[in-house]
């Protein structure tokens, strides 16, 4: 079997420069998430760390989407991003940047029933918050 056929059979495709760069960024994000998760484990009320963790997880979901990775991988990172930003908002609800990030995450999420009480309450609060565009909440509420 030729080298090209062997790579195709094994799923080892040569990566374009952009894909290789995204994979390197994903590896860096995974390491940062690991550090932030350790920080949150020692201080669950550390809303800044939760916010950063959510940003990294959201970025990872976007990179996975660009790399056309499986939907489960994209959803897993997006769900973890939502969990982190929801936790940050429960500690520090007056931070407009947190609400804006929540809106960025939630607008591409498909929520599943039953929704946790904290997630439900955060969604209700988001409807009334001026930093959250109502249009970003339509798809998640309908889902």
């Amino acid at each position: 079997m030729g080298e090209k056929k062997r790579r195709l059979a094994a799923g080892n495709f040569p990566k374009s420069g952009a894909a290789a760069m995204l994979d390197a960024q994903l590896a860096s994000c995974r390491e940062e998430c690991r550090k932030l998760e350790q920080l949150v484990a020692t201080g669950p009320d550390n809303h800044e760390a939760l916010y950063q963790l959510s940003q990294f997880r959201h970025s990872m979901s976007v990179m996975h989407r660009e790399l056309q990775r499986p939907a489960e991988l994209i959803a897993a990172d997006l769900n973890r991003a939502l969990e982190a930003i929801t936790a940050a908002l429960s500690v520090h609800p007056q931070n407009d940047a947190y609400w804006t990030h929540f809106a960025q995450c939630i607008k591409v999420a498909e929520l599943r029933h039953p929704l946790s009480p904290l997630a439900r309450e955060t969604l209700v609060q988001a409807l009334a918050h001026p930093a959250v565009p109502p249009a970003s909440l339509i798809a998640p509420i309908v889902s």
Side-chain angles (χ1 to χ4, degrees):
M1 182 184 293
E3 178 61 26
K4 185 175 180 181
K5 286 184 180 179
R6 213 173 297 127
R7 275 189 275 139
L8 288 173
N12 297 330
F13 305 104
K15 295 181 180 169
S16 69
M21 188 167 65
L22 282 176
D23 274 336
Q25 288 176 339
L26 277 166
S28 176
C29 284
R30 272 191 290 277
E31 179 60 25
E32 289 301 318
C33 287
R34 187 188 63 71
K35 292 175 187 174
L36 288 165
E37 286 165 351
Q38 288 176 341
L39 191 58
V40 169
T42 60
D45 289 346
N46 188 338
H47 58 89
E48 293 98 348
L50 287 162
Y51 174 61
Q52 289 176 354
L53 178 60
S54 180
Q55 288 181 312
F56 277 113
R57 288 291 179 188
H58 182 256
S59 295
M60 289 171 66
S61 74
V62 170
M63 286 184 265
H64 286 309
R65 190 174 298 114
E66 288 176 15
L67 289 167
Q68 300 178 346
R69 299 279 167 78
E72 298 82 26
L73 192 57
I74 297 165
D77 278 324
L78 187 56
N79 287 337
R80 292 169 108 182
L82 279 167
E83 287 172 9
I85 195 60
T86 302
L89 283 165
S90 71
V91 176
H92 200 278
Q94 59 274 25
N95 190 315
D96 287 347
Y98 294 4
W99 285 107
T100 301
H101 183 66
F102 174 81
Q104 291 171 343
C105 292
I106 198 81
K107 73 180 177 185
V108 294
E110 289 185 26
L111 303 177
R112 301 283 182 227
H113 183 74
L115 200 56
S116 75
L118 180 58
R120 185 179 302 277
E121 179 60 31
T122 305
L123 197 52
V124 169
Q125 290 174 0
L127 283 167
H129 201 283
V132 179
S136 67
L137 302 174
I138 292 171
I141 289 173
V142 170
S143 74

